[in-house]
């Protein structure tokens, strides 16, 4: 027989709890149990969201049988009331009745919102506390404010754990949450995190600030709170189980960054090279907010993306000559005293894939575009002795860049008359499945097309080039090379390029598959047959991903 749930039992278990609690949902017992069954062996701490069940009372016998099969696991019963952000439409008395039942069928912990605790009679609360471990929870769905005041209210009620969840409206809110955790974790068992896309720092680093565990979703699409990350991602991508005081923090900063593949790539690189570091997507709505976090977390290094590549220059103590010349920085290193140093690795992202294929000093290269990527390409390729041509939708911008870099401006009408070794697309045309190509078929008089757009892998330009038997260099190569250079700047170690390429191409395939599922009526597209004899792709093919625990 499973031991009776009690506060004592939960206190004992606290020392064996995993760092991630997975929130499990389901409209009926069978669905919830099926999902829980698939998770419980790898992650023996599950929150069963009874409020998602259409008939929670009726589901309890089946849940009891399931819990009895898993005596090693800790189950939390949560029946969040609609008024407090959940789905349970019953009264506080009905909620209490359900949690009491939960204590009888093997749940070790029950989540009770602060609002419900306040509404209950002290005797009822004591009765629940005598039956089962209690988590007093409070969720602020709008802000991260007055955490100490909120906690003072919560700690008036006896509990085994206090769960305080706020909403990050900027990156600095994570700092507020972590300072709160550091201040109270020694005296209380606390779970604390910030919801929202900007709360990712607290979801990953909260455990080292003192949060007993954090919450993850079972799968993408089954989040029970805004910004919740799938539990497998917390473990496999962010390696939350190994995050400790010595873990160095890095991130990609921009607005937006939600769909960036940099976290997948850079965390894989850190894991492969056994660097104790974690890399996060930092959605910075202002540079000021970002810089405050960099100093207070502190963050050791940043990948900088739109719209901060130029603006960040003002915050740097120093930068390398290329960054100064180009006037854009995509890589920041924070010194021990808080000084910020800037680099530009976009140049390497364009130059290295081309150098691997040709002697740049003898090559004629057309760059389409005159923005940041075109700038990095023009400066970098000219420095290698290439003959560089520029064309752009807004001719004046290309003319200015041509003057600055000593490249040649080419009118769009003249492109078809020329022969090139490489044509580089440095415009966003073709991104997100756009059907347009930046040049027409008759303008592609070239041996190679290098499309800097990497998502999707098969852009309209890539399709046209392949149809004309032109060799294609995928934008993925730029992405990986610029990231590899960042890794080397930050760690001083050679980057595991094959691994980085492998995980990004897998992530792109996954995203493409998800797009096809989202558009069931769209024709199924074959993956791009891009040139495969390049060092990166050969290496990527050979690379093997560490097996993911099932
Ligand atoms: P950017 O600074 O905004 O410059 C965009 C350039 O594209 C400008 O020259 C702009 O022309 C032109 N453009 C925009 N929309 C156009 C359209 N509909 N038709 C024709 N030209 C158009 O952007 P960026 O930072 O240079 O990045 C450009 C693209 O490179 C990105 O979208 C991304 O796909 C790719 N990229 C890839 C990597 C990688 O790692 N693979 C890294 C960086 C960038 P105007 O001057 O007329 O506005």
């Amino acid at each position: 027989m499973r031991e009776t749930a009690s506060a004592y039992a939960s206190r004992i278990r606290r020392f064996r709890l995993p760092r991630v609690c997975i929130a499990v949902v389901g409209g009926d017992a069978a669905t919830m149990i099926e999902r829980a069954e698939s998770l419980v062996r790898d992650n023996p701490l599950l929150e069963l969201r009874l409020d998602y069940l259409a008939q929670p009372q009726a589901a309890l016998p089946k849940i009891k049988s399931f819990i009895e099969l898993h005596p090693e696991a800790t189950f939390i019963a949560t029946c969040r009331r609609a008024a407090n952000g959940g789905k349970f439409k019953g009264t506080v008395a009905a909620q209490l009745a359900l949690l009491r039942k939960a204590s009888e069928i093997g749940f070790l912990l029950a989540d009770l919102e602060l609002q419900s605790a306040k509404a209950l009679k002290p005797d009822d609360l004591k009765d629940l506390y005598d039956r089962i471990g209690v988590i007093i929870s409070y969720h602020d769905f709008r802000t991260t404010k007055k955490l100490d005041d909120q906690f003072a209210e919560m700690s008036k009620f006896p509990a085994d754990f206090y769960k305080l969840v706020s909403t990050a409206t900027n990156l600095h809110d994570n700092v507020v949450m972590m300072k709160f955790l550091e201040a109270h974790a020694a005296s209380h068992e606390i779970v604390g995190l910030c919801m929202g896309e900007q709360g990712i720092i607290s979801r990953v680093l909260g455990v080292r600030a003192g949060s007993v565990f954090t919450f993850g979703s079972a799968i993408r699409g089954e989040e029970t709170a805004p910004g919740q990350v799938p539990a497998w991602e917390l473990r496999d991508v962010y390696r939350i189980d190994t995050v400790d005081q010595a873990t160095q923090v890095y991130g990609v900063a921009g607005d937006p960054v939600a769909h960036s593949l940099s976290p997948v790539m850079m965390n894989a690189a850190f894991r492969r090279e056994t660097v104790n570091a974690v890399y996060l997507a930092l959605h910075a709505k202002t540079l000021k907010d970002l810089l405050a976090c960099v100093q207070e977390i502190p963050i050791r290094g940043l990948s900088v993306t739109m719209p901060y590549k130029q603006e960040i220059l003002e915050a740097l103590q120093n930068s390398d000559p290329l960054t100064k010349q180009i006037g854009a920085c995509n890589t920041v290193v924070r010194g021990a005293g808080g000084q910020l140093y800037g680099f530009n690795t976009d140049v390497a992202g364009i130059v290295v894939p081309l150098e691997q294929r040709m002697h740049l000093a003898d090559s004629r290269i057309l760059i389409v575009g005159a923005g940041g990527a075109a700038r990095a390409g023009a400066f970098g390729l000219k420095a290698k002795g290439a003959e560089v041509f520029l064309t752009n939708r807004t001719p004046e911008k290309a003319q200015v860049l041509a003057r600055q870099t000593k490249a040649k401006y080419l009118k769009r009408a003249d492109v078809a008359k020329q022969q090139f070794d490489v044509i580089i697309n440095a415009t966003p045309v073709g991104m997100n499945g756009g059907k347009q190509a930046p040049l027409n078929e008759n303008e592609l008089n070239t041996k190679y097309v290098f499309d800097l757009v990497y998502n999707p892998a098969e852009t309209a330009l890539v399709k046209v080039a392949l149809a004309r038997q032109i060799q294609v260099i995928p934008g993925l190569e730029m992405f990986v090379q610029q990231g590899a250079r960042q890794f080397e700047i930050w760690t001083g170690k050679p980057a595991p390029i094959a691994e980085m390429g492998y995980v990004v191409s897998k992530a792109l395939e996954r995203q493409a598959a998800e797009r096809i599922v989202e558009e069931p009526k769209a024709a199924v597209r074959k993956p791009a047959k891009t040139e495969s004899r390049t060092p990166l792709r050969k290496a990527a093919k050979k690379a093997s991903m560490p097996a993911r625990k099932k």
Side-chain angles (χ1 to χ4, degrees), residues 65-76:
S65 308
F66 166 71
I67 290 177
E68 281 173 356
L69 288 175
H70 297 284
E72 77 291 354
T74 299
F75 295 97
I76 302 173

Side-chain angles (χ1 to χ4, degrees), residues 360-430:
L360 285 174
D362 300 328
S363 60
R364 284 166 61 83
I365 299 177
L366 171 67
I367 301 176
V368 185
R375 244 183 124 66
F379 274 104
L381 294 169
K382 278 301 288 183
K384 293 285 176 180
E387 192 177 1
V388 177
F389 298 82
L390 291 163
T391 195
N392 187 43
R393 178 177 66 178
T394 310
E396 299 75 37
K397 287 194 198 162
Q399 287 161 354
V400 170
L401 182 57
R403 271 198 299 279
Q404 290 172 338
T405 57
K406 301 194 172 51
K408 291 175 183 145
Y409 168 69
L410 202 58
K411 272 196 270 178
R412 175 72 188 262
D414 292 336
V415 169
K417 299 174 197 160
Q418 298 279 335
Q419 190 69 39
F420 302 101
D421 294 297
V422 187
I423 293 178
I424 300 176
N425 173 34
T427 77
V429 179

